[in-house]
Amino acid sequence: MSNWIDIAALEDIPPRGARVVKTRLGCVAVFRTGDDRVFAIDDACPHKKGPLSEGIVHGNAVTCPLHNWVIDLETGMAQGADEGRVNTYEIRVEQGRILLDGARLLARSAA
Amino acid sequence: MAQKLVVIGAGMASGRMLEELFAIDAGAYDVTLFGAEPRGNYNRIMLSPVLAGEKEYGEIITHDADWYRDNGVDCRFGEPVVKIDRKAKQVVSPGGVTPYDKLVIATGSASFFIPVQGNDLPGVVGFRDLDDVEAMLKVAGKPDGQAVVIGGGLLGLEAAAALKQQGMDVTVLHLMGHLMERQLDPAAGYLLQKELEGRGINIVCKAHTQAILGKEHVEAVLLEDGQVFGADLVVMAAGIRPESWLAVDAGLRVERGIWVDDTMQTSDPDIYALGECVEHDEVVYGLVAPLFDMAKVLAKTLTGTVAEFKAPVVSCQLKVTGVDLFSVGDFSQGDDREEIVFRDPGRGIYKRLILKEDRIIGVVMYGDTTDAGWFFEMLKTGEDISDIRDTLIYGPAFQGGEALDPLAVVAAMPDSAEICGCNGVCKGTIVQAIHDGATDLGAIKAVTKASASCGNCTGLVEQVLASTLGDEFQVPTPSGICGCTDHSHEDIRRVIKSQALKSIPAVMQEMGWKTSCGCHICRPALNYYMIAEWPLEYADDLQSRFVNERNHANIQKDGTYSVVPRMWGGITTPQELRAIADAAEKYNVPTIHVTGGQRIDLLGIRREDLPAMWADLNSAGLVSGHAYSKGLRTVKTCVGSDHCRFGTQDSTGLGIKLEKILWGSWTPHKVKLAVSGCPRNCAEATCKDLGVICVDSGYQVSVAGAAGMELKETEALATVATEQEVIDLAVAFIQLYRESANYLDRPYKWVAKVGMDWVKQQVVEDAQNRAALCERFEISQSVYRKDPWAEQAKPEYRPRKWAALADLTLEAAE
């Protein structure tokens, strides 16, 4: 069951940028690409837990600020020779508002 | 007896639906048509040409009085329906109640008025109907009228172009980074902006409107950054909003628009809806093609045929005379997607096909849309293009042919064209040298000096070699700065300068970037080159900055930051130390470290504490030490003649002067200076990027040292007699480095490439050039010599940048 939570306006995130949403499971990084798509992934690189929300966003990928791992925002998979993945969360934009699916985030935290 | 059909809204969707309905069964219904506007259906898409004066209202009418009479439609124009009574199956309007058997809601959409103060002033209009156009034309008729269009999408740009044609002074304010961001990628957006600016339309992107100003009538628009644009007219084109309140009041299911199923039925089986007011399968439509599809489906539904509306692929074209632009489908990037990009900067042509599994899924075209229909057709049919992929981008007319010669441009240059600016070598000289036996780069350098100085023209010289020698010369494989481009740093800097490219998308477009928005390697480099080349015009792009420079602090391995306040020349005071100690306690700083650059590093600061900590440090007079930047870091000093028994000059004072002049500047890589008061060199000046050793007779200035991954002693630049001369040399050297070094080359690497002789000639020997370098540095510093902490600590930055977007830790589980 989805549980769409209105978290912010699209324009609260700069294009090719990210902001974080605090959850009981840790921070989730919400990205806005140059073409206004949004993605939500865990804000911790699979390599050394670098804050992905602070990386440079290009295409639909982000480069981790600590050691330049490139993470695909759509799949959460590390690109190139690096191996690893981060959790991704359902997210969408409606009428300029960003909606995050809180089902997993809230359900797991309640458990 | 025919059933009673009531239609609310006399726009294009309902007009088309009625046409379809009467064609199927003219007698099926007695139709009553309500319209809020005092006129029948006209072609709203053509309002832009009416506004531009290219068409008149009469030409865009689609259904005239005769048509309604002939089809027996009871027209109630100018009479808005105010209520739907579902129980009694009737609608309420000023003229009374009208019963229905079936009801169709086609109320369309309204302009979204951005929620700012003053949005209800007279002179602020939407752009939806003829009344809006007439209101605009009334203002446009006044001499020297100023118009501000809020919104740089399809509608806003059409309005802007039309108002410009009417003689108004037009400014477009667009919230996003490039125009028409829903339909265009940044490269095409850039070309469009260039074209519209060429027509005299002022365009401001990333414009956050704060308020619309005026007393009795609109007078100006104020942006959040303080810019003000005078306005006799403000056009709201920031989006549309489905007109669904009638349905909401009636208790129908309404999402973003009135919810309909595939047959256009709402949640009430006797009520249907179509057009811009509905939401189908979570999509709201604003372009006409899908609305006409809906009209067809609804006409069939109403006459008892089964029909289903399927979400169509929607293409878009801008109706601005002389602008060719087409976009359709999905043009975002993805791992499973590939792109074919064609750019012809000279003619302003850009074509981009987005492929997925050998099929076209998106098309963006600018400048030449001749083949748009062909691509669109292939997109719709999902044709496999793998066989024609090599030539696909050239369109259907392409019948094979020879590959383009990449050297054609160089070959076409006249012999008098200058290739090497440093040494004044023109193409003819190089060609002559080649004929005389100089057949590689080294030989050309030796014989002609071309590319022997700054090296920026190396690529060009190689191309002259290649075009002259043909197959005998193999151009070395281009070493692009990253996977996005084959161009070298030198090429990029040269083109930015020669073609006056003033934005990152402009460089990517003109130089044929292979990705749509670069990567973490090229974007910071381009951002630096923009800052260095166009300090007054270019706005720093924070999203193209590495985290440290974006957050003005150094990120540590655990995601915390370190904060280093500036200590001018390594001098501090009890107050400053007290403020640092207070901040360290207040923010629970776990580690305090004294750096090699003579200042104090506070480590382990949480990101959210940064702005408050900066504000505290600022109030004690401390500013950012830029310990995180590719820019001026420190000027290390010894105590010099003030205290030291060996000191020959005031090394501390000179160090502080240098730091006050240089701080805040951005450079290709970090820059560290030192001033030692005597040759004992306690400040370790001889391994810095620029070091000064004071002697009795004056100052020895040396440059290009290193004490990092490599260890290298500085090389002498000059010995001078006065502090002012030292300062001029230092500023000129750093400006030369800023203007010609590759991004991420420290000065010692750059000097090794361009040669110390050239640097001396530019900075020391040519006094006029030295003065010019200093002047350009000062121009740049008029923008950048400021404390970024003070800026970022301002309260308005906190919610937008430093706070979390949302906090779900308190949210209850379902």
Side-chain angles (χ1 to χ4, degrees):
Chain A
M1 207 30 208
S2 297
N3 175 16
W4 294 105
I5 303 169
D6 182 331
I7 51 168
L10 178 63
E11 63 186 75
D12 289 337
I13 306 177
R16 294 176 285 118
R19 302 269 303 268
V20 298
V21 173
K22 290 184 177 176
T23 79
R24 275 186 248 172
L25 298 173
C27 285
V28 170
V30 178
F31 290 86
R32 173 179 174 190
T33 63
D35 50 19
D36 281 344
R37 296 203 293 164
V38 295
F39 297 99
I41 64 176
D42 277 339
D43 191 26
C45 182
H47 178 215
K48 302 264 183 184
K49 305 281 168 229
L52 295 171
S53 58
E54 295 290 358
I56 289 179
V57 180
H58 45 98
N60 68 337
V62 62
T63 300
C64 177
L66 292 193
H67 306 96
N68 286 343
W69 277 36
V70 178
I71 308 295
D72 186 308
L73 297 173
E74 210 154 7
T75 62
M77 300 288 288
Q79 303 293 288
D82 300 320
E83 281 179 26
R85 78 177 298 167
V86 292
N87 286 320
T88 59
Y89 302 93
E90 288 290 311
I91 193 163
R92 60 180 171 147
V93 176
E94 262 185 26
Q95 283 190 308
R97 300 295 301 180
I98 300 172
L99 306 180
L100 177 67
D101 184 2
R104 263 200 305 156
L105 290 165
L106 298 178
R108 274 203 282 163
S109 61
Chain B
M1 200 183 111
Q3 286 197 301
K4 290 193 227 23
L5 177 69
V6 170
V7 180
I8 308 173
M12 297 181 70
S14 69
R16 176 59 67 94
M17 188 277 291
L18 289 175
E19 280 179 23
E20 300 274 350
L21 178 70
F22 297 146
I24 297 170
D25 183 353
Y29 290 96
D30 286 335
V31 179
T32 307
L33 178 61
F34 286 92
E37 281 185 75
R39 56 185 79 83
N41 185 21
Y42 55 92
N43 187 348
R44 258 164 235 270
I45 303 173
M46 299 312 265
L47 282 174
S48 298
V50 174
L51 182 59
E54 291 170 354
K55 279 194 190 307
E56 287 187 18
Y57 171 63
E59 296 175 66
I60 69 168
I61 294 173
T62 50
H63 298 123
D64 56 16
D66 288 349
W67 185 87
Y68 290 116
R69 195 185 52 236
D70 293 348
N71 287 290
V73 177
D74 177 15
C75 295
R76 308 278 285 272
F77 297 147
E79 189 177 340
V81 170
V82 295
K83 193 179 168 213
I84 300 167
D85 184 345
R86 286 167 58 194
K87 229 179 195 168
K89 292 186 80 172
Q90 59 191 22
V91 299
V92 182
S93 65
V97 296
T98 310
Y100 66 80
D101 295 308
K102 300 281 179 197
L103 177 66
V104 171
I105 307 175
T107 39
S109 63
S111 297
F112 172 67
F113 275 51
I114 56 169
V116 295
Q117 188 198 328
N119 70 1
D120 53 352
L121 281 168
V124 181
V125 298
F127 186 23
R128 298 306 296 160
D129 58 31
L130 192 68
D131 294 337
D132 292 333
V133 170
E134 280 171 353
M136 286 191 246
L137 286 175
K138 221 164 116 193
V139 185
K142 294 176 190 159
D144 301 325
Q146 292 175 301
V148 170
V149 178
I150 298 180
L154 205 58
L155 215 53
L157 295 181
E158 288 186 9
L163 289 169
K164 183 76 202 171
Q165 237 170 302
Q166 292 286 0
M168 292 194 84
D169 185 6
V170 181
T171 299
V172 176
L173 302 178
H174 190 51
L175 187 62
M176 302 299 174
H178 68 270
L179 296 176
M180 288 181 70
E181 77 288 342
R182 280 168 188 233
Q183 292 88 14
L184 299 181
D185 57 11
Y190 155 75
L191 285 172
L192 176 61
Q193 179 168 349
K194 212 163 100 173
E195 165 68 31
L196 294 174
E197 283 171 344
R199 296 176 181 211
I201 296 173
N202 181 25
I203 291 172
V204 185
C205 288
K206 295 183 190 163
H208 292 260
T209 303
Q210 184 164 41
I212 297 170
L213 311 175
K215 289 205 178 93
E216 266 110 54
H217 191 272
V218 59
E219 287 165 25
V221 177
L222 169 70
L223 297 189
E224 280 180 16
D225 65 6
Q227 286 190 82
V228 177
F229 298 92
D232 304 299
L233 173 71
V234 172
V235 181
M236 284 284 182
I240 55 170
R241 189 173 49 71
E243 276 284 23
S244 55
W245 60 271
L246 272 176
V248 172
D249 286 354
L252 295 173
R253 178 175 168 192
V254 176
E255 305 285 341
R256 289 152 67 204
I258 303 167
W259 178 88
V260 291
D261 66 11
D262 291 347
T263 68
M264 299 289 117
Q265 193 179 78
T266 67
S267 54
D268 179 327
D270 289 322
I271 303 181
Y272 301 86
L274 84 164
E276 290 180 333
C277 62
V278 308
E279 173 178 314
H280 173 266
D281 202 11
E282 299 186 357
V283 180
V284 173
Y285 293 91
L287 296 170
V288 77
L291 307 192
F292 284 172
D293 287 349
M294 290 181 190
K296 251 183 220 164
V297 171
L298 180 52
K300 283 187 180 158
T301 304
L302 286 171
T303 48
T305 321
V306 180
E308 280 181 10
F309 176 71
K310 290 257 180 304
V313 187
V314 183
S315 71
C316 107
Q317 230 155 348
L318 185 72
K319 290 176 301 302
V320 172
T321 312
V323 177
D324 287 326
L325 185 160
F326 175 86
S327 97
V328 64
D330 183 354
F331 46 88
S332 50
Q333 291 185 322
D335 241 15
D336 53 349
R337 287 151 197 202
E338 296 170 292
E339 301 177 39
I340 301 177
V341 179
F342 174 89
R343 305 188 195 232
D344 183 345
R347 291 188 299 150
I349 291 175
Y350 172 80
K351 302 179 189 181
R352 177 162 165 235
L353 301 177
I354 298 86
L355 309 178
K356 184 176 176 179
E357 289 157 5
D358 291 325
R359 282 163 177 84
I360 299 177
I361 61 162
V363 183
V364 182
M365 305 179 84
Y366 187 92
D368 174 10
T369 55
T370 328
D371 301 330
W374 188 65
F375 291 131
F376 190 21
E377 196 55 37
M378 283 203 286
L379 180 146
K380 283 192 286 192
T381 55
E383 194 175 316
D384 187 321
I385 52 84
S386 46
D387 288 345
I388 53 168
R389 182 166 170 155
D390 286 352
T391 57
L392 180 66
I393 195 83
Y394 303 110
F398 189 80
Q399 303 290 324
E402 284 169 35
L404 289 172
D405 182 2
L407 298 170
V409 182
V410 174
M413 282 174 141
D415 279 351
S416 59
E418 187 175 82
I419 301 287
C420 175
C422 295
N423 296 297
V425 186
C426 55
K427 184 186 160 194
T429 312
I430 298 173
V431 171
Q432 188 56 47
I434 295 169
H435 290 317
D436 292 346
T439 54
D440 62 36
L441 189 63
I444 296 285
K445 262 191 205 176
V447 178
T448 68
K449 283 204 163 61
S451 81
S453 296
C454 78
N456 282 351
C457 61
T458 305
L460 270 179
V461 174
E462 283 170 349
Q463 284 167 8
V464 174
L465 272 162
S467 72
T468 309
L469 293 173
D471 291 343
E472 291 167 46
F473 182 79
Q474 209 60 46
V475 180
T477 326
S479 48
I481 64 172
C482 65
C484 303
T485 177
D486 291 335
H487 291 289
S488 63
H489 285 280
E490 290 85 358
D491 280 351
I492 293 165
R493 293 209 82 162
R494 182 169 49 80
V495 172
I496 287 172
K497 215 185 172 85
S498 66
Q499 296 195 21
L501 303 179
K502 298 189 181 177
S503 71
I504 293 177
V507 178
M508 291 180 173
Q509 165 61 23
E510 301 289 346
M511 300 197 71
W513 241 245
K514 290 181 276 187
T515 51
S516 58
C517 75
C519 71
H520 64 276
I521 298 167
C522 58
R523 283 232 311 275
L526 293 179
N527 190 54
Y528 168 72
Y529 293 151
M530 287 291 133
I531 284 174
E533 197 63 47
W534 317 110
L536 300 181
E537 292 149 274
Y538 179 72
D540 192 2
D541 177 20
L542 290 182
Q543 301 315 129
S544 294
R545 289 254 188 208
F546 177 60
V547 55
N548 289 357
E549 294 184 345
R550 193 180 333 118
N551 289 346
H552 296 283
N554 282 59
I555 198 162
Q556 305 295 319
K557 68 173 199 176
D558 60 355
T560 64
Y561 290 83
S562 80
V563 166
V564 184
R566 193 168 284 287
M567 285 183 176
W568 308 96
I571 293 292
T572 185
T573 64
Q575 284 137 287
E576 286 185 351
L577 290 172
R578 208 168 280 128
I580 290 171
D582 286 346
E585 280 183 346
K586 183 170 171 187
Y587 300 101
N588 298 315
V589 172
T591 307
I592 302 175
H593 175 248
V594 176
T595 72
Q598 301 183 331
R599 39 206 200 165
I600 293 174
D601 193 356
L602 303 164
L603 291 130
I605 318 291
R606 298 184 313 156
R607 183 185 189 279
E608 56 265 42
D609 286 337
L610 288 173
M613 188 173 196
W614 292 337
D616 289 356
L617 294 169
N618 275 163
S619 60
L622 289 158
V623 297
S624 167
H626 292 89
Y628 47 81
S629 75
K630 312 277 182 260
L632 179 86
R633 295 285 180 91
T634 59
V635 182
K636 191 173 178 177
T637 69
C638 67
V639 291
S641 57
D642 267 1
H643 299 277
C644 179
R645 63 203 162 101
F646 300 116
T648 62
Q649 310 279 358
D650 178 15
S651 51
T652 330
L654 177 55
I656 292 171
K657 279 182 198 159
L658 283 167
E659 194 163 347
K660 295 254 177 190
I661 288 169
L662 298 171
W663 80 295
S665 59
W666 297 102
T667 44
H669 206 306
K670 60 186 172 185
V671 171
K672 296 178 177 180
L673 275 66
V675 185
S676 284
C678 79
R680 287 168 189 77
N681 193 14
C682 293
E684 297 158 343
T686 49
C687 62
K688 297 288 184 258
D689 297 299
L690 185 143
V692 182
I693 307 253
C694 302
V695 291
D696 271 336
S697 60
Y699 307 84
Q700 296 170 345
V701 181
S702 61
V703 295
M709 302 244 275
E710 284 182 59
L711 186 59
K712 181 180 171 291
E713 193 183 343
T714 50
E715 298 171 54
L717 185 70
T719 299
V720 293
T722 65
E723 282 194 345
Q724 189 56 49
E725 287 170 283
V726 175
I727 291 169
D728 288 351
L729 282 177
V731 169
F733 174 77
I734 288 171
Q735 179 64 14
L736 188 66
Y737 169 59
R738 281 165 42 87
E739 290 179 4
S740 80
N742 293 351
Y743 187 65
L744 297 188
D745 270 358
R746 284 290 287 271
Y748 77 94
K749 282 202 174 164
W750 162 69
V751 170
K753 281 182 190 167
V754 300
M756 196 62 198
D757 289 344
W758 181 71
V759 172
K760 278 187 187 165
Q761 191 258 320
Q762 295 284 310
V763 172
V764 184
E765 289 154 27
D766 187 341
Q768 218 176 339
N769 192 55
R770 179 169 66 242
L773 285 164
C774 292
E775 195 184 324
R776 291 202 289 277
F777 183 77
E778 200 45 47
I779 289 171
S780 171
Q781 284 294 75
S782 69
V783 178
Y784 291 103
R785 191 187 285 128
K786 61 168 192 227
D787 178 25
W789 288 357
E791 173 91 12
Q792 297 270 325
K794 281 184 191 163
E796 64 260 35
Y797 268 86
R798 298 198 190 176
R800 196 183 291 163
K801 176 168 175 185
W802 298 105
L805 189 60
D807 187 348
L808 302 184
T809 54
L810 304 172
E811 199 87 11
E814 292 269 299

